[in-house]
Amino acid sequence: MADNTTPLLQPYAADPPEPGFRPPPAANRCSSTASLDDMIERCVGSIGSAQLFQAVLVSFAWVFDAQQTFVNVFADAAPSWHCTGAHVDAAVGTCSRLLPGPCGLPAGTWAWDRHPHASVISEWSLECAGPYVTGLPASAYFAGCLVGGLALATLADSTLGRKKMLFVSCLGMAVVGLLTAASPNVWVYSALRFVGGFFRATIGTSALVLSTELVGKKWRGEVGIIGFFCFTLGFLSLPAMAYANRNSSWRSLYLWTSAPGLLYSILVYCLVRESPRWLLVRGRKDEAIKTLKDIAASNGKDVLTYSFSGFNVFAGDEEEWNNSVDVFSALRVLLDKRWALRRLAAVMAVGFGIGIVYYGMPLAVGSLGSDLYLSVALNALSELPSALVTFFLIGRINRRAAVLGFTLASGACSVACAFLEEAGVRMGVEVTSFFSACTAFNVILIYGLELFPTCVRNSALSMLRQALVLGGVFAPLLVAAARGKGGRFTSFGVFGLVIAGCGLFVVCLPETRGGGICDTLEEQEYKEKSSAATAAGGGASGGDNPLA
């Protein structure tokens, strides 16, 4: 049984790690991150039933995230059509299925294969509207993700916290999804998709950070991957739901994918606990202690024998810290620290390359000559082994090597798709490319949350997701160009070159496997300088030290 006079958190080591280096001033420093990890494991356990329940519940937000991200693939799909008449006037010619579309054919000579309400294109007669109009809803969604990511990026780190940010995002996305089902025209539809993307922007980041900050470092990677399984579940459920509603209105698909989100938002608000790490760096010591005691009680642990004296990140004025932080302060801090800016730039470059393949492949599979439902289902299924591979290997593999390997593999397979002629082989290579991009996507998110301390972690991950979404903005343009005179290389070839080239930026980042996560920037700097001093003492070059 622990001595009740011994604080759970220990101070910095008294001796500096290298000549000339001193720990940060007392007013700006906190206990070591290893001690905070140890405190969580000693007090509530590395992982218990309460932590696992919260991780699963929080991660389920990824299901709705996936459905709303890819719902345009079916709702906005160009429906199939058939000829109903024989010969029309000479200026138009004969109705033929060899034509790229029914645009220009007189009424009565052709008809949609399904009910006109099955797609927004057929319901609003957009067959002649052009790619800029028909592609506007999907583009508006990703544009909303970009704007929402910039506007909401730091709220989870500053004023709202992880739990409230997740609640607001899920609730807003669900409500907007229901309103989207009542859109009267393509312009209102596109505007609502923009707003839906705005709220969706921070769901994945908030869920990932919140689920991982309650467990010990041993289980952090595995818990983070629960969200990836949930995203796969949402992605995989979408073609099944779309196929079941193939003879119904596209509005039904929005209702089925949005209504459950309302109930889920209520569950998050009532059952999810705030991250004690975030409460601690915000100076809300009492709330952090209460959260840990509640979780410990749920896990069957007795915390009455532990002393929480010294349980504080900031030894200075907590009120001054709280009042000095606005919604963009975390991003300003990231930009002010040269080492943090280098990390952020490198991880965002890698994210852009991954995003252009991850979001572009499902849009481009239609050009491979396969059934749309089957193609999307195969891509969704490839996310399952990707999540499994990440789950079982995340504790054993180096993050940097894994990201580099999977991005290069995805790039090579994507370029090969541009030249292969056999449809079956081409589809198999495309699925392999998408699988590699998915795995790189999973690892880069886990890697990203380990690269930055608690006080700016959510903001940094939001910027990483911004880079991923930015790749998604450019991907539809390449797919549209490939459908014209560009050919498959304009989509698959460019996809491969971009993800392989951007993946090389990962060599600029330090390795994080097996290390604890920090809570403040000062603590991160102290840790890195300590590692550099140790490496120098052992004869290492210290070339991986980002603070050197």
Side-chain angles (χ1 to χ4, degrees), residues 79-113 125-129:
S80 56
W81 59 281
H82 61 275
C83 296
T84 59
H87 187 72
V88 295
D89 60 68
V92 177
T94 304
C95 178
S96 171
R97 287 293 289 112
L98 297 178
L99 294 173
C103 180
L105 293 176
T109 63
W110 65 277
W112 301 112
D113 289 346
S125 302
L126 301 178
E127 62 273 8
C128 296

Side-chain angles (χ1 to χ4, degrees), residues 241-479:
M241 296 170 69
Y243 186 79
N245 286 276
R246 64 190 183 279
N247 294 321
S248 303
S249 172
W250 59 270
R251 301 174 191 273
S252 300
L253 193 56
Y254 275 97
L255 292 176
W256 280 104
T257 56
S258 301
L262 292 177
L263 175 60
Y264 173 78
S265 300
I266 298 173
L267 293 177
V268 168
Y269 187 82
C270 297
L271 301 179
V272 171
R273 299 179 177 91
E274 183 56 87
S275 165
R277 285 183 179 272
W278 179 81
L279 292 171
L280 186 58
V281 299
R282 295 295 297 154
R284 294 158 63 173
K285 173 183 174 181
D286 294 339
E287 294 178 64
I289 294 174
K290 183 180 184 301
T291 298
L292 289 171
K293 286 184 175 180
D294 289 343
I295 296 174
S298 299
N299 287 343
K301 288 186 172 289
D302 181 12
V303 298
L304 298 179
T305 58
Y306 291 109
S307 170
F308 289 91
S309 61
F311 181 43
N312 207 345
V313 171
F314 298 97
D317 188 347
E318 295 174 1
E319 182 177 357
E320 179 181 354
W321 163 254
N322 284 328
N323 292 336
S324 67
V325 179
D326 59 33
V327 294
F328 291 105
S329 61
L331 286 181
R332 287 199 298 268
V333 170
L334 284 171
L335 296 178
D336 287 342
K337 298 287 186 178
R338 189 176 63 176
W339 65 268
L341 180 60
R342 284 201 300 264
R343 286 189 182 186
L344 187 62
V347 80
M348 287 181 68
V350 178
F352 174 80
I354 295 173
I356 205 168
V357 172
Y358 184 79
Y359 293 113
M361 282 290 185
L363 297 174
V365 290
S367 65
L368 298 180
S370 303
D371 178 79
L372 179 61
Y373 298 101
L374 177 62
S375 299
V376 176
L378 288 176
N379 278 269
L381 281 173
S382 69
E383 291 220 29
L384 182 58
S386 170
L388 289 172
V389 167
T390 312
F391 180 82
F392 287 110
L393 296 182
I394 193 66
R396 302 178 178 86
I397 59 175
N398 289 339
R399 279 68 164 132
R400 184 166 54 184
V403 172
L404 181 62
F406 283 116
T407 52
L408 292 178
S410 178
C413 292
S414 184
V415 171
C417 288
F419 299 101
L420 293 172
E421 296 299 331
E422 176 62 35
V425 175
R426 193 166 59 225
M427 190 65 197
V429 173
E430 183 275 332
V431 171
T432 303
S433 177
F434 188 72
F435 163 81
S436 300
C438 289
T439 310
F441 189 108
N442 296 343
V443 176
I444 197 65
L445 288 179
I446 298 296
Y447 195 13
L449 69 87
E450 295 174 342
L451 284 169
F452 299 93
T454 302
C455 57
V456 294
R457 183 174 301 121
N458 208 89
S459 300
L461 276 185
S462 294
M463 297 307 295
L464 170 56
R465 286 178 64 87
Q466 286 292 89
L468 290 162
V469 171
L470 184 61
V473 171
F474 283 96
L477 301 177
L478 295 173
V479 173

